[in-house]
Structures are given as structure tokens and as C-alpha cells.
Amino acid sequence: PWVSLAFALDRVLFVPARRPPHKHDRALTPGEHRMAMVTLAIAGIPGFDASDAELRRKGPSYTIDTVSAELARLGAGWEIFFLVGADQALELDTWHRIGELAALCTLTPVARPGFRLADLDRLSARLSADVVAKIRSSALDIPPLDVSSTDVRRRIREGKSVEGLVPPAVAEYIRAHGLYR
């Protein structure tokens, strides 16, 4: 997979959030379903793993807590690259304890449709220039996939196909459990 090659990563860990602080005003698909779909989506891909660490933790899902716990688990000598969609990266300045998080890991924006690397400069209004430079230098500027979870859920509600947007096993799971209808 491209991300492992771009950064020579040993492992890519997918961590569904229990309760993202920025989504406190909307209903979320239960964590066990989101965990199951992630597991199905990455099945058989070497170096890809899923963790329910945030689903087991009480309260909001703060990235700083997850990264700190993972570093403590791994021990010294490991570097964590935290991949985030570029659309979310533009909101990093609102994240809980962002300065500490940026010191603990490499925040890595991944290209999304409509995203321009130059857009990251607007983070400098609330983050230090060196933090913004580090974020910008680690951005993964790949051809973006025009797929969003919002679009997938909308298509399912409208009875449209999601073929090619999600792995077949995930589409079957969604159908079998009546999700997003």
C-alpha cells in the first residue's frame, strides 16, 4: 500500500474513535460496527492492523491520549506518523493539546479532493511556524480518492450502489446489519 511505501512504515494502525469531540452533536454508528467494518476493510493487507483502544476508553477520543498510550506501549525508539485527511488537517489548530501532539508524532495530512498543500498555511494563525512547517513537510501529496464516508452513507440511504467505494466485505456487512438506511 502507498502509505507504507511513502514513509517506510512497519505498521499502519487504524483506530476508530469512541466519541470524536468535533462530532458531539450527531449520532454515530455504534463502535462495534465501525470496528468490524475497519477490520473487514483491511483484512489480508500486510502491515495493516486495527485497534479498539479508543472504543474501550471512556469519554471523548483525544488523539493525544491515543498517541501517548501507543508510544508507552511501544517503548523508546519508535516514531509515529499520524495520518489525517487533509480536510481534517485544516482543523488541527482546534485539536486538544495540539502542540504536545505535534511534538509526540509526525502529523501527516493525506490529500483529499479540493485540498491544496498551501491551504495548510492558514494553520499559522494559531500554531507556531515550526509546527506548521513540520505538518506541511510531512503531507502525503498523492492523487486523492474522491470517496467520503458522508457520500457512502448518503448513497446507501438513497438505495444507490457503493460498489467500488468500499470493499465488498464492508458493503455486505452494511447490508446485513441494515446500517445507514
Side-chain angles (χ1 to χ4, degrees):
W2 52 262
V3 73
S4 296
L5 297 173
F7 292 105
L9 303 178
D10 296 311
R11 189 176 100 183
V12 178
L13 187 62
F14 293 81
V15 186
R18 175 183 172 84
R19 172 53 66 187
H22 62 283
K23 292 185 178 181
H24 65 276
D25 60 341
R26 59 184 103 153
L28 291 178
T29 302
E32 65 270 12
H33 288 308
R34 291 183 287 116
M35 184 68 189
M37 289 185 284
V38 166
T39 302
L40 289 168
I42 65 173
I45 302 175
F48 278 24
D49 294 307
S51 168
D52 66 351
E54 287 196 5
L55 296 174
R56 287 183 280 112
R57 198 167 46 235
K58 302 292 182 213
S61 297
Y62 292 121
T63 303
I64 184 76
D65 298 332
T66 303
V67 169
S68 296
E70 189 65 14
L71 283 170
R73 188 187 71 73
L74 290 170
W78 288 92
E79 182 177 6
I80 291 181
F81 290 79
F82 185 84
L83 283 77
V84 60
D87 50 336
Q88 291 298 308
L90 296 174
E91 297 178 10
L92 283 170
D93 59 333
T94 68
W95 285 27
H96 183 66
R97 295 169 46 199
I98 188 61
E100 292 173 61
L101 179 62
L104 285 179
C105 67
T106 300
L107 296 165
T108 308
V110 179
R112 297 276 296 153
F115 166 75
R116 295 176 315 117
L117 207 52
D119 292 342
L120 290 170
D121 288 341
R122 77 177 200 209
L123 293 172
S124 61
R126 293 194 48 206
L127 296 176
S128 70
D130 54 327
V131 168
V132 174
K134 184 179 176 188
I135 292 169
R136 211 179 145 153
S137 70
S138 69
L140 192 54
D141 196 16
I142 59 168
L145 295 175
D146 196 9
V147 177
S148 74
S149 57
T150 301
D151 185 45
V152 168
R153 290 188 302 268
R154 180 190 54 76
R155 291 179 66 82
I156 291 169
R157 265 192 320 276
E158 294 173 357
K160 295 180 179 174
S161 172
V162 292
E163 184 178 346
L165 299 177
V166 299
V170 173
E172 175 54 28
Y173 184 92
I174 291 168
R175 188 202 59 71
H177 292 276
L179 300 177
Y180 313 126
R181 301 240 173 242

